[in-house]
Amino acid sequence: GEDVEQSLFLSVREGDSSVINCTYTDSSSTYLYWYKQEPGAGLQLLTYIFSNMDMKQDQRLTVLLNKKDKHLSLRIADTQTGDSAIYFCAETREGYQKVTFGIGTKLQVIP
Amino acid sequence: DVKVTQSSRYLVKRTGEKVFLECVQDMDHENMFWYRQDPGLGLRLIYFSYDVKMKEKGDIPEGYSVSREKKERFSLILESASTNQTSMYLCASCGAGNNEQFFGPGTRLTVL
């Protein structure tokens, strides 16, 4: 079945860039997502990318997709303490209701 | 502002009790989902529903059932709660043909 893998933990200093990585196995994936979960809250969609794109930039966020290696990354520029959260990578296919989530990467930002 | 609400933020129940977790969305979404979130395991799909009275098993349906009598409401039922069902339960919804899921704040259930 589909699988999405990501590391459990990342620690960065405030002002540095953070890069959170994710790999997936489903070659039919058409949508790839990054969700953010702040403490005590549900998940919130941060950004997404279609499988026919290589890169998407949205203010401090840059998503890179290497479809050949099935590798997705999220780069947060100028990381702030408010970026401390759990970041989930997720994927699905066109017309498919189910979304497969990774286990989440906990980002700790050190002041 | 889109909204998914869950009936309780925190719930404590005893082993063997019947537990109802309620989820309501105000976006007229066709699809609704129940997940549980556990440390080191991420989100796992329990059940989902793509229409009123329709339901599909997710990856871990054992020990759970669901009910969708109205479009806006999706209930998760633990017929006989067990300690291994202690977890954070997250509800989500999305529209037909749109994969962005909107999540509720979660219910942290403790079964003693």
Side-chain angles (χ1 to χ4, degrees):
Chain A
E2 306 88 358
D3 198 17
V4 177
E5 294 190 357
Q6 46 184 136
S7 54
L8 273 177
F9 193 74
L10 177 67
S11 181
V12 298
R13 292 209 172 273
E14 191 174 15
D16 287 351
S17 290
S18 310
V19 180
I20 303 170
N21 294 300
C22 168
T23 56
Y24 60 97
T25 58
D26 188 357
S27 55
S28 302
S29 297
T30 46
Y31 297 90
L32 296 129
Y33 305 91
W34 284 105
Y35 280 84
K36 178 183 180 183
Q37 183 182 34
E38 294 183 354
L43 279 68
Q44 189 173 17
L45 182 67
L46 257 188
T47 186
Y48 65 93
I49 190 168
F50 295 112
S51 59
N52 61 359
M53 297 166 66
D54 297 325
M55 185 181 95
K56 183 179 180 182
Q57 189 151 2
D58 183 4
Q59 298 182 330
R60 293 191 296 122
L61 305 178
T62 303
V63 179
L64 294 177
L65 175 61
N66 181 328
K67 198 174 177 185
K68 175 176 165 287
D69 294 339
K70 300 191 190 70
H71 182 266
L72 183 74
S73 67
L74 173 70
R75 178 175 179 269
I76 305 173
D78 187 25
T79 313
Q80 303 296 307
T81 53
D83 295 323
S84 293
I86 301 175
Y87 291 81
F88 290 88
C89 174
E91 63 86 23
T92 192
R93 292 178 231 164
E94 181 76 43
Y96 202 51
Q97 288 96 353
K98 282 178 66 174
V99 174
T100 301
F101 288 85
I103 60 171
T105 299
K106 185 170 185 177
L107 174 65
Q108 180 188 46
V109 182
I110 304 165
Chain B
D1 197 19
V2 296
K3 214 162 182 182
V4 179
T5 55
Q6 294 183 227
S7 50
S8 307
R9 292 302 302 272
Y10 300 93
L11 211 51
V12 179
K13 295 290 181 181
R14 294 204 176 275
T15 302
E17 279 192 80
K18 190 168 184 175
V19 182
F20 292 87
L21 302 183
E22 306 283 344
C23 175
V24 177
Q25 49 96 3
D26 65 1
M27 296 164 280
D28 201 36
H29 282 166
E30 286 75 13
N31 301 304
M32 296 187 75
F33 306 82
W34 274 107
Y35 297 89
R36 62 178 283 176
Q37 182 181 9
D38 299 287
L41 296 175
L43 268 68
R44 292 181 291 167
L45 181 65
I46 304 170
Y47 267 97
F48 69 101
S49 167
Y50 52 89
D51 202 350
V52 175
K53 296 195 186 296
M54 306 303 286
K55 60 184 179 185
E56 290 276 347
K57 290 180 180 179
D59 301 315
I60 51 162
E62 297 79 19
Y64 303 94
S65 62
V66 289
S67 172
R68 184 121 181 250
E69 295 296 317
K70 292 186 177 182
K71 192 176 185 182
E72 67 270 18
R73 188 180 296 270
F74 191 35
S75 304
L76 180 69
I77 303 152
L78 288 66
E79 293 288 341
S80 177
S82 62
T83 53
N84 63 12
Q85 291 178 309
T86 290
S87 187
M88 170 71 91
Y89 289 88
L90 291 166
C91 175
S93 72
C94 72
N98 181 348
N99 297 108
E100 179 184 351
Q101 294 192 12
F102 292 86
F103 282 82
T107 297
R108 186 166 291 283
L109 173 67
T110 302
V111 182
L112 301 174

